[in-house]
Amino acid sequence: MVSIAKVLLAVLGVAVVVVLIAVPTVIFLKEEEGSNMRTFTLFDVFNYTLKPASYNMKWISDYEYLHKETDGSIFLYNVNTNMFEEFLNRDKFIARDASDYQLSADRRYVAFMSNYNKVWRHSFTASYSLYDRQSDKDITPSDIPDVVQYFAWAPTGNKLAYVWDNNVYLKTSPESPREQITFNGEPNKILNGIPDWVYEEEMFSSNRGVWWSPGGKYLAYAEFNDTLVHNIEYSWFGEDQYPSTISIPYPKAGTPNPVVKLFVVDTDNTTIVTEVVVPASFSKLEHYLASVTWVTDNRIAVQWLKRQQNHLILQIYDISGSSRNPVEHLELTSTGWIGRVC
């Protein structure tokens, strides 16, 4: 019996030794096999290197879209015929050091974007060069400054609007001279055609403060007056040896809000500028410009929201008529918060 017990004990000991050798070996080999796999790091969290796959496309009709290929060229795809063709060669981007583009509604002109510089979450500045696809030539001079805060083609034709130094400018065609629409723009004081920080971040979730009518005859733009808004300051530790101080108007609870106005300019006669007047019941109260939507080429729907966000007024104005009084009116009140009407 003693000899059998010794044998069993010896076998058990050998099994344990084999397990202690084999298991780490297997784990090591598996790690070697997966050593080429990329690990997720904290750096990936902040620079968005890992994100869902997407497909770069811009619809330009009900059945056509533009897609940017991996080599940088732009191709036009027709979903009805399953045909495609090169629309913009990558060399056009390289020659202008362009990172993006915007196509005019008539497909004749391209605004190549370069010198992109991020400002806040949605806003940025950039340079735009205009290219004529028909003549295969750049529009020179383009009358567009190097640092533009916003750029937008009209929904039809090739009119364009842009914001520079907090003022709105219009060109009735790429070759036509620019027309200045506003003249009172001032950094951190009065912003025309682009939202201030609080409207960009909290209300619009966008850098847009101009709205083309569907036919391109009218251009609506907002004026954000931050003159009475208190500033906050913080240090910015950038590339320089010493930090810089950033100051932005930021309305905390109980302090003055931006004063916002909405205007509409007739792009065929820029001397005709109409203010879309806030409802009388809000005129003496702090309020927000909640949304701007063109219903037709002559009618614009505007939502005004009381600062307490428990009272909303939606009005539709007829811009072409002799009277600027709203033609439709909807009013909502609540004991709680009211969101925008979709």
Side-chain angles (χ1 to χ4, degrees):
M1 293 296 294
V2 176
S3 60
I4 294 176
K6 288 182 177 179
V7 170
L8 292 175
L9 185 61
V11 171
L12 180 61
V14 170
V16 170
V17 172
V18 171
V19 170
L20 290 175
I21 295 174
V23 171
T25 302
V26 171
I27 294 175
F28 176 76
L29 290 175
K30 285 186 174 294
E31 288 181 348
E32 284 291 307
E33 291 175 0
S35 61
N36 293 328
M37 295 179 62
R38 190 177 182 282
T39 58
F40 186 76
T41 67
L42 185 63
F43 183 74
D44 295 315
V45 175
F46 292 103
N47 68 359
Y48 304 103
T49 52
L50 297 180
K51 57 185 177 182
S54 60
Y55 186 75
N56 182 296
M57 63 186 299
K58 295 180 180 181
W59 287 100
I60 58 174
S61 75
D62 282 344
Y63 55 90
E64 294 170 301
Y65 68 87
L66 297 173
H67 170 64
K68 192 171 187 177
E69 303 290 343
T70 55
D71 70 348
S73 297
I74 306 298
F75 276 74
L76 173 65
Y77 286 79
N78 187 312
V79 297
N80 285 344
T81 63
N82 289 325
M83 302 293 289
F84 61 91
E85 61 179 326
E86 188 176 65
F87 191 80
L88 286 172
N89 189 274
R90 65 189 295 265
D91 293 338
K92 296 287 192 298
F93 288 85
I94 295 173
R96 298 161 181 81
D97 195 25
S99 58
D100 204 352
Y101 71 102
Q102 291 189 41
L103 179 67
S104 64
D106 61 4
R107 307 188 189 185
R108 177 174 174 177
Y109 299 96
V110 178
F112 286 101
M113 186 182 79
S114 58
N115 300 323
Y116 173 93
N117 185 33
K118 187 176 179 63
V119 180
W120 302 119
R121 187 192 302 264
H122 307 283
S123 56
F124 61 90
T125 61
S127 301
Y128 294 88
S129 58
L130 302 181
Y131 166 70
D132 186 346
R133 294 183 58 245
Q134 183 172 300
S135 64
D136 192 23
K137 292 181 180 179
D138 289 328
I139 306 299
T140 55
S142 67
D143 272 346
I144 300 179
D146 289 336
V147 181
V148 171
Q149 295 162 292
Y150 187 78
F151 179 97
W153 292 106
T156 60
N158 50 52
K159 292 179 182 178
L160 64 94
Y162 63 88
V163 179
W164 173 54
D165 275 355
N166 303 295
N167 282 311
V168 178
Y169 292 80
L170 172 73
K171 286 169 69 72
T172 54
S173 73
E175 291 88 355
S176 66
R178 70 187 184 192
E179 299 180 64
Q180 187 169 352
I181 307 302
T182 65
F183 297 85
N184 60 345
E186 186 179 349
N188 278 355
K189 294 293 183 182
I190 299 178
L191 295 81
N192 294 289
I194 54 170
D196 66 352
W197 186 91
V198 70
Y199 266 88
E200 174 183 336
E201 181 67 24
E202 306 292 350
M203 188 59 66
F204 293 163
S205 297
S206 166
N207 65 330
R208 182 175 68 162
V210 299
W211 299 267
W212 281 102
S213 65
K217 177 174 175 54
Y218 297 105
L219 179 71
Y221 64 90
E223 174 195 282
F224 302 90
N225 191 327
D226 286 358
T227 303
L228 300 179
V229 180
H230 298 174
N231 291 336
I232 62 168
E233 295 182 345
Y234 63 91
S235 296
W236 173 255
F237 295 87
E239 298 178 353
D240 297 330
Q241 186 176 7
Y242 292 92
S244 58
T245 300
I246 305 297
S247 178
I248 59 172
Y250 183 89
K252 294 186 178 182
T255 66
N257 247 359
V259 177
V260 62
K261 295 180 180 180
L262 182 65
F263 299 90
V264 174
V265 58
D266 185 338
T267 61
D268 295 328
N269 183 355
T270 56
T271 62
I272 303 176
V273 179
T274 303
E275 181 177 357
V276 180
V277 181
V278 65
S281 58
F282 280 6
S283 61
K284 302 297 183 183
L285 304 174
E286 287 197 302
H287 58 271
Y288 299 108
L289 173 65
S291 73
V292 178
T293 307
W294 283 95
V295 181
T296 68
D297 203 41
N298 300 318
R299 292 192 172 191
I300 188 170
V302 183
Q303 296 186 47
W304 308 93
L305 182 64
K306 191 177 177 181
R307 184 172 186 178
Q308 285 80 359
Q309 299 183 41
N310 59 2
H311 187 180
L312 180 139
I313 297 177
L314 184 154
Q315 294 190 150
I316 297 179
Y317 305 79
D318 190 336
I319 302 302
S320 62
S322 58
S323 172
R324 295 297 182 260
N325 294 326
V327 295
E328 292 189 39
H329 178 98
L330 172 66
E331 199 159 345
L332 299 175
T333 59
S334 173
T335 55
W337 287 346
I338 295 179
R340 286 170 289 185
V341 178
C342 299

